[in-house]
Amino acid sequence: MQNYGTILVIDDNEAILTALKYCLTSTFEKVMTLTSPESVISLLEQEQVNIILLDMNFTLGVNSGQDGLMWLQAIRKRHPEIPVVLITAYADVSLAVRGLKRGAADFITKPWDNDELVRKLKDVLEASDDMATLDEVEADHIRRAIDRCHGNLTKAADMLGITRQTLYNKMKKLQ
Amino acid sequence: MQNYGTILVIDDNEAILTALKYCLTSTFEKVMTLTSPESVISLLEQEQVNIILLDMNFTLGVNSGQDGLMWLQAIRKRHPEIPVVLITAYADVSLAVRGLKRGAADFITKPWDNDELVRKLKDVLEASDDMATLDEVEADHIRRAIDRCHGNLTKAADMLGITRQTLYNKMKKLQ
DNA sequence: CACAAAGTGTAAAATTTTTATACACCAAAG
DNA sequence: CTTTGGTGTATAAAAATTTTACACTTTGTG
């Protein structure tokens, strides 16, 4: 991939925003910034954003990362196809785990290393490059459903929103 | 969910294995253990396992977690439907991130709290309960593909392994 | 134990979706 | 200006899905 497209950076610290913008501008075609996540949803409706770099604390004196987790969730609910990378100065294992479990593409700690940050953002975008085919995604999801229903195909089919016969068909195709 | 099925615990320390077995036996129908991950793949061919609790270090003197990451990958390659929870005494943010990015369902640090461990394992199994329908998974994946191809529908269809016309059909269905 | 309820495996026809192929149109690149 | 690559649309043929049905097995419960 030559072109890494548009990145949206959200951080309430103007100095950090400037530093990030400076380090990202050579890699990305367009670097957009927000000092507050409030308007992120409406912005995403208008602009084609390829990746989001999101700080985790926006309430003065609160460094739990709750804000970041909340906004991560809000963004992913409406735009699950846009990868969100979290960045925070107050990192611990538990927060990293919670962030990634809610769908963050990566988790970066401040202070960051410019080269490493850029590499990680590139990695995220390149990872989403090797997309699976619809059939592969389908097969994977079907296996999960059957596993979850302890092999009960009737329930699995129901859960998947297809008929039992269709599930038989699809299973035959997957050997 | 009443029944949490079978859990497979993999740890090279017999004492820890005993302690874990003791704490898990009341929640799980069956608790299987391995002191080495070597035989995990062949075991999974024979036994129906619902969740795996995997330690991250199996080489004496090496606590990088590389072993765990490698086995996580090996397990997920063959059985992506089985959730794998990592557990380690040598945790840091970076290792947690790498584990979760490779598909671990959760990341737990030693020493563990019995109640918390059981709750997290239950959460993992219950989270995989609310399965999306095939149509939802498909829609999500299609949006991702189109996004990745910057709106180029011909490329997106190709990437998804379907014809362009089929992609048009499916897009019409999703409004 | 016995019976009802739920699940399995299979089938055929009607319906819907997907593919293959084609054509006119547009925009960017050379 | 012309080639190349993408769009939007259309049609018939092929394939998959749904609907409905039936006989059989398992599971749970009084």
Side-chain angles (χ1 to χ4, degrees), chain B residues 7-26:
Chain B
I7 186 170
L8 170 61
V9 186
I10 314 177
D11 197 305
D12 60 350
N13 183 320
E14 295 271 8
I16 285 178
L17 223 44
T18 305
L20 283 171
K21 189 162 192 166
Y22 177 77
C23 118
L24 297 173
T25 200
S26 58

Side-chain angles (χ1 to χ4, degrees), chain B residues 91-149:
Chain B
D92 59 55
V93 169
S94 158
L95 188 60
V97 169
R98 275 181 290 160
L100 289 167
K101 282 180 73 177
R102 292 197 197 183
D106 208 335
F107 187 91
I108 289 165
T109 52
K110 296 179 185 174
W112 68 91
D113 174 81
N114 278 353
D115 290 341
E116 197 184 323
L117 171 63
V118 167
R119 188 178 51 69
K120 283 187 172 179
L121 293 171
K122 283 182 179 177
D123 281 352
V124 166
L125 286 168
E126 275 159 10
S128 53
D129 252 2
D130 46 70
M131 292 272 299
T133 65
L134 268 193
D135 280 344
E136 288 166 341
V137 170
E138 188 175 275
D140 190 72
H141 197 68
I142 285 174
R143 270 188 276 268
R144 261 197 190 71
I146 293 174
D147 193 65
R148 192 93 309 280
C149 296

Side-chain angles (χ1 to χ4, degrees), chain B residues 20-175:
Chain B
L20 283 171
K21 189 162 192 166
Y22 177 77
C23 118
L24 297 173
T25 200
S26 58
T27 303
F28 291 88
E29 206 179 317
K30 189 172 177 182
V31 181
M32 307 186 73
T33 57
L34 282 179
T35 51
S36 155
E38 302 290 339
S39 53
V40 64
I41 298 301
S42 62
L43 188 148
L44 293 177
E45 302 290 339
Q46 299 164 335
E47 289 286 335
Q48 158 89 346
V49 169
N50 296 98
I51 187 169
I52 298 174
L53 184 57
L54 175 67
D55 186 41
M56 298 197 74
N57 296 294
F58 293 93
T59 308
L60 265 174
V62 179
N63 298 316
S64 65
Q66 271 313 123
D67 284 350
L69 291 175
M70 193 271 276
W71 284 108
L72 167 65
Q73 208 152 31
I75 292 167
R76 288 195 60 75
K77 187 176 175 185
R78 295 197 170 274
H79 299 277
E81 73 279 7
I82 304 178
V84 177
V85 173
L86 298 174
I87 182 165
T88 181
Y90 306 92
D92 59 55
V93 169
S94 158
L95 188 60
V97 169
R98 275 181 290 160
L100 289 167
K101 282 180 73 177
R102 292 197 197 183
D106 208 335
F107 187 91
I108 289 165
T109 52
K110 296 179 185 174
W112 68 91
D113 174 81
N114 278 353
D115 290 341
E116 197 184 323
L117 171 63
V118 167
R119 188 178 51 69
K120 283 187 172 179
L121 293 171
K122 283 182 179 177
D123 281 352
V124 166
L125 286 168
E126 275 159 10
S128 53
D129 252 2
D130 46 70
M131 292 272 299
T133 65
L134 268 193
D135 280 344
E136 288 166 341
V137 170
E138 188 175 275
D140 190 72
H141 197 68
I142 285 174
R143 270 188 276 268
R144 261 197 190 71
I146 293 174
D147 193 65
R148 192 93 309 280
C149 296
H150 302 81
N152 182 328
L153 300 182
T154 300
K155 271 186 194 162
D158 194 52
M159 192 173 263
L160 292 167
I162 58 180
T163 62
R164 188 163 53 96
Q165 292 77 349
T166 302
L167 181 55
Y168 281 131
N169 283 345
K170 290 183 186 293
M171 283 173 67
K172 205 181 299 168
K173 268 203 312 191
L174 321 173
Q175 296 134 32

